[in-house]
Amino acid sequence: MAMAAPTGSAAPVAPALCGHLALLLLLAAPAAHGYSFPQQHTMQYWARRLEQEIDGVMRIFGGVQQLRGIYNENRNLFEVKENVPRKLVEKVAGDIESLLAKKVRALKRLANAAEKFQKAHHWQDNIREEDIEYYDSKADTEYDDPDGEEIEREKSNSLKLEFTDDANFKTKVNYSYAAVQIPTDIYKGSTVILNELNWTQALEDVFIENRKEDPSLLWQVFGSATGVTRYYPATPWRAPNKIDLYDVRRRPWYIQGASSPKDMVIIVDVSGSVSGLTLKLMKTSVYEMLDTLSDDDYVNVASFNEKAKPVSCFKHLVQANIRNKKVFKEDVQGMVAKGTTDYKAGFEYAFDQLQNSNITRANCNKMIMMFTDGGEDRVQDVFEKYNWPNKTVRVFTFSVGQHNYDVTPLQWMACANKGYYFEIPSIGAIRINTQEYLDVLGRPMVLAGNRAKQVQWTNVYQDALGLGLVVTGTLPVFNLTEDSSDRKNQLILGVMGIDVALNDIKRLTPRYNLGANGYVFAIDLNGYVLLHPNLQPQIINFREPVTLDFLDAELEDENKEEIRRSMIDGNDGQRFIKTLIKSLDEQYIDEVFRTYTWAPIKSTNYSLGLVLPPYSTYYIQANLSDQILQVKYFEYLLPNSFEAEGHVFIAPREYCKDLDLSDNNTEFLENFIALMEKVTPDSKQCDNFLLHNLILDTGITQQLVERVWKDQDLNTYSLLAVFAATDGGITRIFPNKAAEDWEEEPEPFNASFYRRSLDNKGYIFKPPYRDATYRGLDLENNTIGILVSTAVELSIGGKTLKPAVVGVKLDLEAWAEKFKVLASNRTDRDQLGTRRCDPSTSCEMDCEANNKDLICVLIDDGGFLVLSNQEEHWYQVGRFFSEVDANLMSALYNNSFYARKESYDFQSVCAPEAQSNTGAAPRGVFVPTVADLLNLAWWTSAAAWSLFQQFLYGLTYSSWFQTEEVAGDSMEARETSCIMKQTQYYFSTVNATYNAIIDCGNCSRLFHAQRLANTNLLFVVADKPLCSQCESVKLLQAEVRAPPRDPNQCELVDRPRYRKGPHICFDYNATEDTSDCGRGASFAPSLGVLLSLQLLLLYSSTSRHSLPPATCL
């Protein structure tokens, strides 16, 4: 327990008085050796000496005043321009609207053409594979089996194409053809697929015409309801390492375009008859069903026998977002079969869920999905009570497993409630039968005709063909044919999509005129960011969309909640707020002022925002019309000038179209110089704003070298380097040799010291970050530097801006010695020795003479150690102070010197947890006998096809090939998405000087803490701990993997964030024909694929190791 005595504060209440008196007595009382803890006024004197020393060095070497003068002297070389937030937002929103409108025109042409082609197509019953000419994108794809051997491909009649590299697509393409992708589990020789290939071939001409009209178009895709994907331009399919299970119907963009939003309740029969393989089939079916839902949908999952209960902590419908679906998927695995079946309990629970109007939900398609192994009860009374006569809830029933029950009741339930009946006899039937309900939901859309042809823009997601982050415009394609009775067809043909890369949208947004801390962002109706500097997902090739909420991309507060709501509502607005932000390196928290300005992007689901700090209202635009001056300044970028003028790093920006970028700044500088010898800064292929500003800042920083740095001896003040960084992209380090140890980003806008210096007044110290595992360097052979930086603020014609940051790099070892002297009783007249106390007299301890008894440290505003009088601390500089002295750091936190902010990073990747193998055999898989393998009839039987399906999906669901006890150790270690918990510390509003005692009985410690003016430092003096009984719980700062269910989704769903779904809903049409309401599952096997995979299965079943799972695209 720490008792504190703040100075300058009101007298504490009576109960605390005794503690404060005890503290004062301890402070005054001499220790046994004659020394007493320093008095408060003494430590305040030390603090002033430290402040004066820091300020003196920065005034001499920082050159803030001189740099202001240089800018003023060169006033004729630049203009001060203004960022007008509302105008910027209006322009960028208009540019994005125009970009997307061009894609929409192409999208509509494709959808209309597809409907026309399909209507004119004549169905062919006797069509053959050799009758169809197309490029099979998987024909040239290499697949590896689990042991690294190449799997023999099926023979294919695919066209043989040549491909050329294309920078826009980041891969090889052929613009003369489209490509076709057919899911592995669909037989490409079936009549349905061949007819689909036949009529969609005509789309190629439309693809090509679209590209002629708009060369910037990226992937144009038609995803068919049969599973066929035709995309343009042609390129070989990007296969995963294992079996390719990509199916366009399960992609986020297809799901969003194929139906209106859904309220779904899944009920699972867990009575005693459901056991073993059937229960596993049900669990996997629910897993797959959840993957057909998007963030516009709401869902709950319950199990039932005699009673119904939710499988998770969710008591009502919740948004089908990634985190909620993950909870469901985990909890479904815990279902256990027991008891008897009562359909009534399951359906009553489901209807009650759907009738709950006190929660946020989709309020569109309502449905119940029941998975069971069979039963006789039709529960007609339940339907009469809840659903008839309007039948607003569709019922889909799934008969799971192989059994001899009468399925008529299940068929009747579905048919009597506008739903559909499916059979799932084996694992291979799961994927197809858990997604075909979308065809039923698409009926009202098709019957609504043109009213339902609404272009929708998706969430951000990873493109399966390697474009990176994209959004897709989608448009449903309807079957316009009519039957002999002139009744309209009610089937959806598929979804047409056109991709837009996020990078193409980003190019329309301003960047460098906004300064290092200004940025543009955009969100959708769910509040998910489309654009944001913190949108940086770390994992690729996953099936789920990238859903980062605006309030998770930034540190949440009430102002931002209101801004988010206004943007979702499609309003425009502006607000000036005080808020917290994380530093770029995520080690610090700063309290800053920002202006948020926002407006909707018309004709889309998106809203655009702009964030500007006050000092970025104005910016410099160089105007170097004097070509002689251009050449003169440019020469200071040449390496032969570095020895005299200091080393120059230039920000790796796209100054010109033909400039080759490089992560190596020396190489990038060489590329830049080589290009500048061919073109001028005014060339049309170059960004004149960037180039002129870069060259101007080169000249300005060179003048700083000549006027300030060259005339000073850095060694006298124990400095390793001096530096200046600018908005124009220049970082100049002096002397040249100091660049060898420079570890900061060459792009100032990406350097933490630069951005923090702009947001904070005074001198910002930045020690080199060291995590808890750092063991330090040999200081005799390695020099550690501490950065100290400050922003240069200009006032030109009443306009304030901060175009540069200057600073010094301190030599840690020398400044640690200087720190001890400044925090000592040595006077200016006592330079040769330290004043010491005689043991018979009493005097105050200091940080130099009594470093064995007294700890003196400087800690920065993030809680990281900067300087110490303890030599053993020197290698720990840059560590979070709790790793150095947990007891003292806890006392500082408990006495409100520091506040703490916890947040979550939802974009991280983690290594999978290690698993072992007991060597047990795989479970749940039938392995054919040799007699079976020799029997040709067996290969074309349902058993063989079912076995192929088991193998295929076993690669996806690793548990099908795992032992009961543990997973196999042959499973490849793969990074997976995960949630990381971050904790940052920052100075609280307490500015008082504190004397306090850490009360631990005989182990009590005194300490004093005081903020150093005009810095981000806290000066702390404390007794060394006398014994270990005073140890405290160590405060954690390092990022850690969030424990399971942290953050608590069960609590978060009860206070959902504001969102809006699509503004129209198609869930009912009076003319809908519901007579087609059920069938079983059947597959036409592809013999070639079956043979090769079956042999692989036989081999793998004899192996001691289980098979690895397939990568999901």
Side-chain angles (χ1 to χ4, degrees):
M1 171 178 135
M3 296 181 293
T7 63
S9 61
V13 292
L17 186 58
C18 294
H20 285 245
L21 289 173
L23 172 61
L24 293 174
L25 290 172
L26 282 168
L27 290 171
H33 48 51
Y35 292 96
S36 64
F37 192 80
Q39 297 292 313
Q40 180 172 298
H41 64 84
T42 301
M43 291 179 283
Q44 289 175 333
Y45 168 66
W46 295 346
R48 285 193 298 273
R49 290 175 71 177
L50 289 167
E51 292 164 358
Q52 291 167 2
E53 184 70 15
I54 294 166
D55 184 66
V57 169
M58 289 299 291
R59 284 181 180 277
I60 295 171
F61 289 94
V64 172
Q65 294 294 342
Q66 294 91 332
L67 196 53
R68 286 195 188 114
I70 294 170
Y71 272 107
N72 284 320
E73 290 171 16
N74 291 276
R75 184 67 185 80
N76 62 312
L77 300 180
F78 63 86
E79 299 175 66
V80 177
K81 295 285 190 177
E82 183 178 4
N83 285 315
V84 182
R86 289 187 184 273
K87 288 184 178 180
L88 284 173
V89 169
E90 181 181 350
K91 181 184 183 305
V92 175
D95 290 344
I96 295 175
E97 180 190 356
S98 298
L99 172 71
L100 299 184
K102 290 174 67 177
K103 316 306 177 188
V104 167
R105 288 194 292 271
L107 190 60
K108 289 182 176 178
R109 277 195 297 271
L110 280 168
N112 291 334
E115 292 173 347
K116 172 184 164 187
F117 296 149
Q118 195 275 337
K119 187 175 182 179
H121 174 255
H122 297 288
W123 180 270
Q124 301 178 48
D125 286 321
N126 299 318
I127 194 169
R128 300 174 302 170
E129 282 192 76
E130 50 266 33
D131 298 333
I132 307 298
E133 188 178 72
Y134 68 98
Y135 171 66
D136 181 353
S137 64
K138 296 200 285 190
D140 299 322
T141 302
E142 300 291 337
Y143 292 94
D144 294 339
D145 79 353
D147 293 315
E149 300 294 330
E150 183 181 338
I151 293 178
E152 183 179 352
R153 298 192 299 269
E154 286 187 271
K155 291 183 179 179
S156 173
N157 296 319
S158 172
L159 293 171
K160 304 301 181 184
L161 303 183
E162 293 183 358
F163 302 95
T164 55
D165 287 319
D166 189 281
N168 291 331
F169 288 92
K170 303 177 184 177
T171 189
K172 294 177 180 291
V173 300
N174 184 308
Y175 281 111
S176 299
Y177 293 90
V180 169
Q181 192 273 352
I182 301 173
T184 306
D185 55 343
I186 291 179
Y187 176 43
K188 67 178 66 174
S190 72
T191 304
V192 171
I193 298 300
L194 292 176
N195 274 278
E196 194 83 12
L197 293 173
N198 194 18
W199 76 259
T200 58
Q201 189 169 5
L203 289 173
E204 291 197 359
D205 291 337
V206 188
F207 288 146
I208 293 170
E209 285 301 314
N210 274 345
R211 180 178 177 270
K212 286 181 180 177
E213 185 167 318
D214 180 6
S216 69
L217 277 177
L218 296 176
W219 300 121
Q220 303 175 65
V221 188
F222 175 61
S224 166
T226 63
V228 173
T229 305
R230 191 178 285 271
Y231 61 89
Y232 175 87
T235 189
W237 188 245
R238 291 167 63 96
N241 293 332
K242 304 294 176 286
I243 299 299
D244 177 24
L245 293 180
Y246 177 95
D247 189 323
V248 68
R249 295 167 297 181
R250 306 188 81 83
R251 292 296 286 168
W253 65 270
Y254 184 96
I255 293 169
Q256 182 168 325
S259 65
S260 292
K262 302 174 278 293
D263 286 324
M264 176 187 290
V265 179
I266 301 172
I267 54 175
V268 185
D269 179 0
V270 291
S271 59
S273 62
V274 179
S275 59
L277 183 59
T278 301
L279 183 58
K280 290 191 66 177
L281 287 171
M282 287 186 180
K283 291 177 180 179
T284 306
S285 297
V286 174
Y287 192 104
E288 284 294 311
M289 181 67 73
L290 290 168
D291 279 344
T292 68
L293 302 177
S294 73
D295 289 80
D296 290 332
D297 304 320
Y298 284 75
V299 64
N300 203 357
V301 183
S303 61
F304 71 93
N305 37 42
E306 300 93 342
K307 296 181 179 179
K309 62 178 182 179
V311 299
S312 70
C313 57
F314 303 143
K315 307 304 180 187
H316 52 74
L317 291 171
V318 297
Q319 187 182 15
N321 59 38
I322 293 173
R323 297 200 285 277
N324 288 341
K325 287 193 289 188
K326 183 179 180 182
V327 172
F328 282 128
K329 290 175 180 180
E330 291 173 351
D331 291 344
V332 160
Q333 299 305 317
M335 293 190 304
V336 178
K338 61 182 179 180
T340 58
T341 304
D342 184 355
Y343 286 160
K344 185 175 182 179
F347 277 108
E348 285 185 338
Y349 177 88
F351 279 113
D352 287 339
Q353 288 277 301
L354 293 171
Q355 289 183 351
N356 183 356
S357 60
N358 296 323
I359 58 168
T360 305
R361 55 183 184 174
N363 283 319
C364 193
N365 287 292
K366 297 178 177 61
M367 68 202 69
I368 298 171
M369 324 298 276
M370 182 180 74
F371 294 90
T372 180
D373 64 343
E376 299 178 357
D377 191 0
R378 299 190 179 202
V379 289
Q380 182 171 336
D381 57 331
V382 176
F383 299 133
E384 290 175 346
K385 175 181 178 182
Y386 289 95
N387 204 37
W388 294 355
N390 296 326
K391 299 182 181 180
T392 56
V393 177
R394 296 182 189 267
V395 174
F396 295 85
T397 55
F398 298 81
S399 175
V400 184
Q402 299 185 8
H403 48 71
N404 296 319
Y405 297 124
D406 180 13
V407 299
T408 305
L410 297 180
Q411 291 174 327
W412 179 88
M413 290 180 197
C415 294
N417 293 279
K418 297 172 64 175
Y420 211 91
Y421 163 75
F422 298 95
E423 290 181 2
I424 301 179
S426 65
I427 192 171
I430 290 176
R431 278 168 64 93
I432 189 69
N433 285 326
T434 53
Q435 68 192 22
E436 287 205 341
Y437 77 93
L438 292 171
D439 291 343
V440 177
L441 299 189
R443 292 172 184 170
M445 291 179 63
V446 178
L447 295 171
N450 289 331
R451 288 191 303 115
K453 291 183 179 178
Q454 303 286 332
V455 175
Q456 295 189 67
W457 289 97
T458 67
N459 298 327
V460 178
Y461 69 96
Q462 290 280 358
D463 172 52
L465 288 170
L467 272 183
L469 294 180
V470 299
V471 293
T472 299
T474 66
L475 197 60
V477 180
F478 301 152
N479 190 329
L480 301 183
T481 60
E482 298 176 348
D483 61 18
S484 56
S485 305
D486 293 332
R487 285 188 306 179
K488 292 177 63 176
N489 194 298
Q490 55 185 19
L491 290 178
I492 187 170
L493 290 177
V495 178
M496 199 67 72
I498 287 184
D499 288 348
V500 179
L502 282 198
N503 285 336
D504 289 343
I505 300 177
K506 286 179 183 177
R507 290 189 186 99
L508 302 176
T509 64
R511 176 66 182 100
Y512 298 106
N513 59 298
L514 302 182
N517 290 317
Y519 57 91
V520 170
F521 70 99
I523 67 172
D524 64 15
L525 295 179
N526 277 300
Y528 299 144
V529 294
L530 163 74
L531 299 173
H532 198 285
N534 294 334
L535 178 63
Q536 298 175 349
Q538 301 299 306
I539 194 164
I540 60 173
N541 287 342
F542 51 88
R543 293 182 293 177
E544 296 283 4
V546 180
T547 52
L548 178 66
D549 196 284
F550 170 64
L551 297 178
D552 294 323
E554 306 196 357
L555 293 177
E556 183 176 355
D557 59 36
E558 289 184 5
N559 283 312
K560 291 176 185 174
E561 286 181 20
E562 293 172 8
I563 291 168
R564 177 182 177 276
R565 175 183 285 265
S566 179
M567 294 179 73
I568 291 172
D569 286 340
N571 301 323
D572 55 16
Q574 187 174 74
R575 182 175 292 194
F576 182 70
I577 67 173
K578 181 165 70 172
T579 187
L580 297 179
I581 63 167
K582 290 182 192 176
S583 64
L584 197 64
D585 56 16
E586 298 184 326
Q587 305 300 325
Y588 299 91
I589 295 286
D590 290 315
E591 188 175 61
V592 300
F593 290 96
R594 295 288 188 266
T595 297
Y596 281 72
T597 309
W598 62 94
I601 302 173
K602 296 175 183 177
S603 303
T604 73
N605 307 327
Y606 306 130
S607 183
L608 185 78
L610 170 68
V611 181
L612 271 184
Y615 49 80
S616 291
T617 302
Y618 299 98
Y619 63 95
I620 284 175
Q621 179 173 302
N623 181 21
L624 296 177
S625 56
D626 185 342
Q627 293 188 354
I628 296 176
L629 191 61
Q630 286 183 14
V631 173
K632 177 183 177 183
Y633 284 0
F634 178 76
E635 289 178 349
Y636 298 133
L637 285 174
L638 301 178
N640 58 19
S641 71
F642 289 176
E643 195 60 41
E645 311 294 344
H647 192 98
V648 174
F649 294 100
I650 66 170
R653 301 174 182 175
E654 294 184 29
Y655 300 101
C656 299
K657 292 179 181 177
D658 294 336
L659 178 60
D660 294 328
L661 300 178
S662 173
D663 291 334
N664 182 302
N665 201 259
T666 301
E667 182 178 315
F668 179 70
L669 180 60
E670 291 173 355
N671 296 341
F672 177 80
I673 293 171
L675 183 63
M676 287 297 99
E677 291 174 350
K678 301 175 184 177
V679 301
T680 69
D682 299 309
S683 170
K684 292 182 179 180
Q685 67 156 297
C686 297
D687 187 320
N688 304 140
F689 170 76
L690 289 183
L691 270 179
H692 278 254
N693 278 25
L694 179 80
I695 295 173
L696 172 67
D697 286 356
T698 304
I700 284 179
T701 55
Q702 185 274 337
Q703 293 175 48
L704 181 66
V705 176
E706 294 295 331
R707 298 189 189 186
V708 181
W709 297 348
K710 275 189 174 180
D711 296 333
Q712 302 293 340
D713 182 6
L714 272 61
N715 292 327
T716 303
Y717 290 85
S718 306
L719 303 182
L720 300 175
V722 288
F723 60 89
T726 71
D727 278 359
I730 292 293
T731 303
R732 189 179 290 274
I733 317 294
F734 186 86
N736 181 40
K737 65 179 181 180
E740 298 173 6
D741 300 319
W742 187 256
E743 297 178 349
E744 306 304 317
E745 289 286 338
E747 169 58 82
F749 285 16
N750 293 339
S752 183
F753 82 87
Y754 191 86
R755 294 171 68 158
R756 294 203 70 217
S757 296
L758 295 175
D759 272 329
N760 293 277
K761 293 181 178 180
Y763 308 123
I764 305 303
F765 282 68
K766 179 182 178 292
Y769 174 68
R770 312 294 187 197
D771 62 24
T773 62
Y774 180 73
R775 288 292 173 264
L777 296 170
D778 178 5
L779 288 179
E780 291 184 5
N781 301 316
N782 296 276
T783 304
I784 297 176
I786 299 170
L787 292 189
V788 189
S789 57
T790 188
V792 178
E793 185 173 291
L794 301 182
S795 182
I796 300 175
K799 301 171 182 177
T800 302
L801 62 158
K802 297 180 180 180
V805 168
V806 296
V808 301
K809 192 174 186 181
L810 309 180
D811 182 327
L812 166 64
E813 193 171 0
W815 270 79
E817 293 294 343
K818 184 178 294 190
F819 168 60
K820 288 195 291 185
V821 172
L822 293 171
S824 73
N825 294 324
R826 184 192 295 190
T827 65
D828 294 335
R829 293 188 298 269
D830 187 22
Q831 294 296 318
L832 300 177
T834 302
R835 183 170 61 87
R836 300 183 180 277
C837 296
D838 186 274
S840 61
T841 63
S842 66
C843 63
E844 297 177 51
M845 292 188 287
D846 67 36
C847 299
E848 182 185 28
N850 307 98
N851 62 343
K852 293 183 178 180
D853 304 302
L854 207 60
I855 293 175
C856 304
V857 292
L858 291 178
I859 311 171
D860 72 13
D861 55 329
F864 297 96
L865 179 62
V866 176
L867 284 175
S868 173
N869 71 331
Q870 304 295 308
E871 190 169 340
E872 63 269 23
H873 287 175
W874 292 355
Y875 77 90
Q876 298 185 82
V877 162
R879 273 191 181 180
F880 184 59
F881 192 59
S882 193
E883 299 288 341
V884 181
D885 192 328
N887 179 244
L888 186 52
M889 185 64 196
S890 293
L892 295 171
Y893 174 69
N894 292 333
N895 281 278
S896 300
F897 275 100
Y898 287 94
R900 178 167 61 189
K901 185 72 175 178
E902 294 181 343
S903 59
Y904 296 90
D905 179 1
F906 295 100
Q907 304 179 90
S908 296
V909 293
C910 300
E913 295 181 359
Q915 295 176 321
S916 61
N917 181 27
T918 62
R923 61 181 179 184
V925 179
F926 164 74
V927 179
T929 65
V930 173
D932 288 328
L933 294 173
L934 296 176
N935 184 352
L936 183 60
W938 182 87
W939 286 99
T940 57
S941 68
W945 184 240
S946 176
L947 188 53
F948 161 59
Q949 294 165 358
Q950 289 186 40
F951 169 76
L952 189 61
Y953 287 92
L955 293 178
T956 304
Y957 310 107
S958 58
S959 61
W960 284 85
F961 287 129
Q962 291 170 11
T963 63
E964 289 289 349
E965 293 81 2
V966 289
D969 61 5
S970 66
M971 200 174 296
E972 289 184 359
R974 261 188 209 95
E975 290 183 330
T976 59
S977 59
C978 61
I979 301 172
M980 300 296 287
K981 188 173 185 178
Q982 298 181 340
T983 306
Q984 290 92 10
Y985 291 80
Y986 59 101
F987 284 153
S988 68
T989 55
V990 175
N991 288 312
T993 297
Y994 265 70
N995 286 320
I997 181 171
I998 304 172
D999 189 2
C1000 292
N1002 293 332
C1003 296
S1004 296
R1005 300 173 65 186
L1006 295 169
F1007 78 90
H1008 168 91
Q1010 179 175 338
R1011 293 269 295 274
L1012 294 189
N1014 209 35
T1015 73
N1016 65 326
L1017 297 179
L1018 181 68
F1019 176 42
V1020 182
V1021 179
D1023 283 328
K1024 272 196 173 181
L1026 299 176
C1027 53
S1028 60
Q1029 296 176 15
C1030 212
E1031 291 181 355
S1032 304
V1033 176
K1034 186 183 295 184
L1035 297 177
L1036 297 179
Q1037 185 277 334
E1039 185 178 63
V1040 295
R1041 186 168 184 169
R1045 304 295 168 88
D1046 185 14
N1048 192 331
Q1049 287 298 116
C1050 306
E1051 295 177 0
L1052 293 177
V1053 295
D1054 288 329
R1055 38 181 208 281
R1057 286 170 172 166
Y1058 182 71
R1059 65 173 295 275
K1060 278 188 175 180
H1063 62 281
I1064 55 174
C1065 169
F1066 297 96
D1067 62 344
Y1068 172 78
N1069 191 289
T1071 64
E1072 179 184 346
D1073 178 8
T1074 61
S1075 60
D1076 180 15
C1077 57
R1079 67 182 189 280
S1082 63
F1083 290 85
S1086 172
L1087 188 57
V1089 173
L1090 184 59
L1091 280 169
S1092 59
L1093 292 178
Q1094 188 62 42
L1095 289 171
L1096 182 57
L1097 172 63
L1098 181 64
Y1099 168 77
S1100 64
S1101 66
T1102 61
S1103 172
R1104 292 172 55 194
H1105 306 298
S1106 59
L1107 293 172
T1111 300
C1112 296
L1113 286 180

